[in-house]
Amino acid sequence: EINDSEGHPSSSHQTLKGTSKWAMSLENLLEDPEGVKRFREFLKKEFSEENVLFWLACEEFKKTQGKKQMQEKAKEIYMTFLSSKASSQVNVEGQSRLNETILETPHPLMFQKLQEQIFNLMKYDSYSRFLKSDVFLNHKKSEEQEENSPEAQTAAKRASRIYNT
């Protein structure tokens, strides 16, 4: 049995990484810090970076411990993304906007519905354009060039090349 560098059995199917994984789903893209970085770069050009920033802020908010920290973070999210005076206002349906009084008694899922709206907006709108964008395609191209570089070739590939010439 052949094992990879971490001692796991190696298989001919490499686990998907980078752009291949991002192209599978928006969820995969958002789980990868490099994917988020590239998606933000793209959204900035489309003047809609606030969507992914709001989504990330909500993810972070769910992990917040302690009522005081939750109140502070909830207020920050509200003031940044949801208030009528917000600097990076997200486009959510009117009736789902939060009332400022809810900020006094925050709970981890208080932004869930709004976060889902923004996620769906990104998934069915920006994400498909991102996959066709120069930002994505150029990153994919450079990834493929790295994979095909001599340094990236495994010893097994080199050996088979040497013995099969």
Side-chain angles (χ1 to χ4, degrees), residues 17-101:
K17 60 180 191 274
T19 53
S20 303
K21 197 170 183 181
W22 304 348
M24 298 281 294
S25 71
L26 179 56
E27 290 87 340
N28 287 348
L29 172 72
L30 293 172
E31 286 171 4
D32 182 346
E34 183 65 24
V36 170
K37 180 180 163 191
R38 301 297 174 170
F39 194 45
R40 278 185 64 183
E41 193 179 310
F42 168 75
L43 290 176
K44 203 178 276 186
K45 291 177 181 172
E46 291 215 330
F47 304 100
S48 59
E49 184 188 20
E50 68 279 356
N51 291 336
V52 74
L53 294 176
F54 173 72
W55 188 89
L56 291 166
C58 291
E59 283 300 290
E60 198 56 41
F61 179 76
K62 290 177 194 174
K63 301 173 196 162
T64 305
Q65 301 291 313
K67 187 177 180 192
K68 186 90 180 114
Q69 285 93 327
M70 284 184 98
Q71 282 176 325
E72 287 170 11
K73 263 203 162 97
K75 189 172 170 70
E76 187 182 318
I77 289 172
Y78 180 82
M79 298 310 284
T80 307
F81 302 105
L82 301 169
S83 137
S84 57
K85 302 176 201 83
S87 54
S88 299
Q89 194 175 26
V90 289
N91 186 10
V92 289
E93 291 173 23
Q95 72 270 21
S96 57
R97 284 206 172 274
L98 293 176
N99 188 319
E100 235 174 301
T101 55

Side-chain angles (χ1 to χ4, degrees), residues 147-162:
E147 282 174 20
N148 295 328
S149 73
E151 302 84 50
Q153 292 179 348
T154 62
K157 279 184 184 171
R158 283 197 299 271
S160 71
R161 231 185 22 245
I162 294 166

Side-chain angles (χ1 to χ4, degrees), residues 61-62 70 107-113:
F61 179 76
K62 290 177 194 174
M70 284 184 98
H107 58 88
L109 301 177
M110 67 188 280
F111 296 114
Q112 187 73 33
K113 279 204 177 349

Side-chain angles (χ1 to χ4, degrees), residues 90-159:
V90 289
N91 186 10
V92 289
E93 291 173 23
Q95 72 270 21
S96 57
R97 284 206 172 274
L98 293 176
N99 188 319
E100 235 174 301
T101 55
I102 196 173
L103 300 176
E104 297 307 311
T105 55
H107 58 88
L109 301 177
M110 67 188 280
F111 296 114
Q112 187 73 33
K113 279 204 177 349
L114 301 173
Q115 186 184 18
E116 286 169 8
Q117 268 188 45
I118 293 300
F119 179 85
N120 286 326
L121 180 70
M122 291 189 300
K123 183 175 183 170
Y124 298 110
D125 186 39
S126 326
Y127 174 64
S128 54
R129 285 195 309 280
F130 169 71
L131 295 178
K132 297 174 192 140
S133 73
D134 288 345
V135 171
F136 176 79
L137 296 173
N138 291 339
H139 189 72
K140 184 177 179 177
K141 193 184 294 179
S142 68
E143 224 177 48
E144 288 164 354
Q145 287 169 345
E146 279 175 30
E147 282 174 20
N148 295 328
S149 73
E151 302 84 50
Q153 292 179 348
T154 62
K157 279 184 184 171
R158 283 197 299 271

